[in-house]
Amino acid sequence: MGRGDRLLVWGLLMLGAWSWEISVVEAQGYWETVVDNAGIATMHSAVSHDGNVVLLDRTNVGPSQLNLAPGVCRDNPQDRATKHDCTAHSALFSPGSNKIRPLFVYTDTWCSSGQFDGSGKLVQTGGDADGLMKIRHFSPCGGGDCDWVELDGGLQEGRWYASNQILPDGTQIVVGGRGVGTVEYVPANGRGTYDLPLLYKSNDAQMDNLYPFVHLLPNNQLFIFANRDSCLYDWETNKVVRDYPTIPGEPRNYPSAGSSVLLPLSANANFGNAEVLICGGAAYGAYMNPAGQPASQTCGRIAPLGAGAGWAMENMPQRRLMGDMILLPTREVLIINGAGGGAQGWGNAVNPVKMPVLYKPYNAAGARMQTLTASPIPRVYHSTANLLPDGRVMVAGSNTHQFYTLAGYLPTELRIETFSPPYMGANRPTFAEVPGGLKYGGGFTATVKAANPKNIELNLLSAPFVTHSYAQGQRLLQLEASAPAAAGGGAYTVDSKAPPSAAVAPGGYYMLFPVADGNVGYASWVKIG
């Protein structure tokens, strides 16, 4: 073989190796920076049913890098940093165009909570300083001139670091907060505040019971977790029904910052297969004595409605705190963002964890975790992650400092990225026809365009309010789905049925994804109720 032939073979081998490397990277997902400067650091985020994403930061942080509309300024004598401020502290991000529109929020939304109501309106509660007892509304308008509305009536108790969960009656329960051991309801509808013993029991010297994990179970009761303990709560009687064993390992809530999801509910189990997953956390004392102590490496999983419910533990590939856990249309969990040590708080994070992990709930223990492609950008304290209707995951925020600090170690992060999980392949399925509204227990037919599918799933996902490593109100429902029937023109019909009750799926807007043989399509928004 001559030198030229050897070079040709070498080139072909290198090309093959390069192609193999690209395919491996794609199999692990890929990242894209879609906005170089959003102008604000995204502490809170939520995807509205018009497809836009509401971004929120705090107000008492000084000027942002995003100006309000000409002639619009916020004059607030109670602001601790800038009493005359012509910059925005909230914005609307449009994933299709990657445009940012400034929004006007008046009171401080620092470490607040929220959730969409049944009409698709974002209800936002609490915060710090002048925002401590506020209720705010944002009604999506398809990218028009909609903006924040701050209500005259407020919360019954100040709520800072609380959690919200929409309920089957359409109201939201607001749980806990800094120095608060009660729950209340928004709107109150004549109800007061109610002591929750778990919040007193779980309080410790560094208050590891903030941003409690709250999940609505299909039996119409709430699983509430704080620090390392949890209970089953009847919101209709305001009574604790049951206490659960303490989870092994480290504290799991703010400032120790694990994360939690209610794993997918399936029509195949009559939506009775409720399991809660909690991953990560920080060593006790890491917040009071920040010295970069290693984060937790464990996940705990519990079936709270089962007899003798207890925690089954497993290890993540890396230690992680401040991670976000996002349900994917494939009925898997993406664990993303975070740090390998320290705790939440100003400058307390060390060793950013840039590699997401895919958690596969239906694999056997020990074979559930897959490490994916690392992001080039560290995302630690005050970062967020949200599933978009096109199947990507939007990742934003990270501000480890009290004010905007754009240089140095772990600076304030104003870029927005998207992560495309491995299911973002070619020939993605699309809906040719799907109802825009569903009635509980009602049957419907969806028409899906796909490439010779053997199986089509119809998976329904809520749009949660994401903050501080917890997606409030997040849930996924695998609906009934018949075998696909050819309808011509590359389309297939699938017969299905809406969720049976508001306990399984509280009324409101959901993303309905077609998943053909594991290939995720583009979601359509449907309203239930």
Side-chain angles (χ1 to χ4, degrees):
M1 181 183 294
R3 182 174 181 272
D5 293 329
R6 288 196 299 271
L7 287 174
L8 176 61
V9 170
W10 180 86
L12 290 172
L13 288 172
M14 290 300 99
L15 179 61
W18 179 80
S19 300
W20 178 84
E21 181 180 356
I22 292 296
S23 67
V24 168
V25 169
E26 289 178 347
Q28 296 173 335
Y30 58 92
W31 291 87
E32 182 182 5
T33 298
V34 294
V35 176
D36 287 323
N37 187 344
I40 68 169
T42 302
M43 184 186 299
H44 321 287
S45 54
V47 181
S48 66
H49 67 271
D50 63 4
N52 293 307
V53 188
V54 181
L55 314 178
L56 265 172
D57 195 11
R58 55 181 288 207
T59 58
N60 286 316
V61 75
S64 73
Q65 293 201 344
L66 179 65
N67 290 327
L68 289 166
V72 178
C73 295
R74 188 176 63 93
D75 292 299
N76 185 347
Q78 298 184 66
D79 194 288
R80 295 169 176 170
T82 310
K83 302 187 187 312
H84 177 72
D85 187 359
C86 301
T87 63
H89 300 278
S90 180
L92 199 64
F93 167 57
S94 299
S97 63
N98 294 326
K99 290 183 178 178
I100 299 286
R101 178 169 74 84
L103 299 176
F104 185 100
V105 63
Y106 186 77
T107 56
D108 193 12
T109 55
W110 184 14
C111 302
S112 51
S113 55
Q115 197 134 137
F116 289 105
D117 70 6
S119 72
K121 176 173 59 187
L122 182 57
V123 178
Q124 221 270 322
T125 51
D128 187 29
D130 62 344
L132 190 63
M133 300 185 70
K134 292 298 294 186
I135 300 175
R136 310 167 193 86
H137 287 170
F138 181 86
S139 297
C141 59
D145 294 329
C146 43
D147 214 329
W148 287 102
V149 175
E150 308 216 9
L151 305 189
D152 292 332
L155 297 167
Q156 298 176 64
E157 291 194 59
R159 304 280 173 179
W160 193 25
Y161 300 91
S163 295
N164 292 21
Q165 170 64 56
I166 190 169
L167 299 172
D169 69 354
T171 63
Q172 294 184 26
I173 188 170
V174 187
V175 180
R178 194 178 183 96
V180 180
T182 63
V183 305
E184 65 175 279
Y185 299 87
V186 175
N189 293 341
R191 291 172 288 192
T193 64
Y194 304 88
D195 281 340
L196 180 58
L198 171 70
L199 296 177
Y200 298 99
K201 171 186 177 181
S202 60
N203 199 14
D204 60 25
Q206 59 180 20
M207 290 183 282
D208 276 310
N209 66 353
L210 302 179
Y211 280 121
F213 303 142
V214 185
H215 300 294
L216 175 66
L217 302 180
N219 73 335
N220 198 36
Q221 294 174 334
L222 298 169
F223 177 84
I224 305 178
F225 181 101
N227 196 336
R228 296 175 60 219
D229 291 301
S230 50
C231 71
L232 186 65
Y233 188 75
D234 188 327
W235 60 272
E236 293 182 297
T237 63
N238 292 294
K239 301 292 184 184
V240 173
V241 177
R242 180 180 181 184
D243 290 310
Y244 296 101
T246 299
I247 192 172
E250 299 80 2
R252 308 285 176 164
N253 294 82
Y254 181 93
S256 294
S259 190
S260 177
V261 291
L262 174 68
L263 291 175
L265 302 176
S266 176
N268 297 331
N270 296 319
F271 300 104
N273 59 315
E275 289 188 86
V276 172
L277 177 70
I278 296 175
C279 291
Y284 177 74
Y287 177 74
M288 295 182 294
N289 301 292
Q293 300 179 58
S296 173
Q297 196 169 352
T298 61
C299 294
R301 183 165 163 172
I302 190 170
L305 298 181
W311 294 97
M313 305 302 294
E314 55 192 314
N315 284 337
M316 297 182 286
Q318 310 93 5
R319 295 181 178 274
R320 191 185 304 251
L321 67 129
M322 290 182 274
D324 289 282
M325 295 172 68
I326 302 301
L327 294 170
L328 299 178
T330 51
R331 295 182 286 117
E332 297 166 324
V333 182
L334 184 69
I335 308 173
I336 197 167
N337 300 334
Q344 287 186 322
W346 311 130
N348 289 351
V350 298
N351 303 327
V353 181
K354 298 180 181 180
M355 289 183 294
V357 165
L358 192 63
Y359 179 88
K360 303 177 181 183
Y362 304 110
N363 283 5
R368 292 176 176 150
M369 310 274 193
Q370 177 188 353
T371 300
L372 302 179
T373 303
S375 167
I377 301 173
R379 303 279 183 176
V380 287
Y381 189 42
H382 289 160
S383 58
T384 60
N386 298 78
L387 178 69
L388 298 175
D390 63 9
R392 295 177 298 168
V393 175
M394 185 203 82
V395 180
S398 188
N399 186 13
T400 63
H401 308 275
Q402 186 173 1
F403 302 105
Y404 282 17
T405 304
L406 303 176
Y409 181 65
L410 296 176
T412 303
E413 186 55 67
L414 304 179
R415 288 172 288 182
I416 296 177
E417 292 174 289
T418 58
F419 177 67
S420 296
Y423 56 64
M424 301 280 285
N427 302 316
R428 299 177 63 193
T430 58
F431 281 119
E433 186 176 353
V434 67
L438 302 177
K439 299 296 183 183
Y440 290 115
F444 69 95
T445 298
T447 304
V448 179
K449 288 191 172 182
N452 300 315
K454 296 179 180 178
N455 176 68
I456 294 178
E457 293 184 15
L458 298 178
N459 293 335
L460 201 65
L461 287 99
S462 66
F465 179 88
V466 178
T467 188
H468 289 76
S469 305
Y470 176 47
Q472 301 179 15
Q474 182 174 214
R475 65 201 300 110
L476 187 158
L477 308 172
Q478 181 190 15
L479 302 183
E480 290 184 17
S482 66
Y492 296 80
T493 59
V494 179
D495 294 327
S496 186
K497 186 182 289 186
S501 70
V504 172
Y509 285 92
Y510 291 75
M511 293 177 281
L512 181 63
F513 282 90
V515 183
D517 300 329
N519 194 14
V520 172
Y522 299 86
S524 288
W525 288 96
V526 297
K527 189 177 183 183
I528 299 178

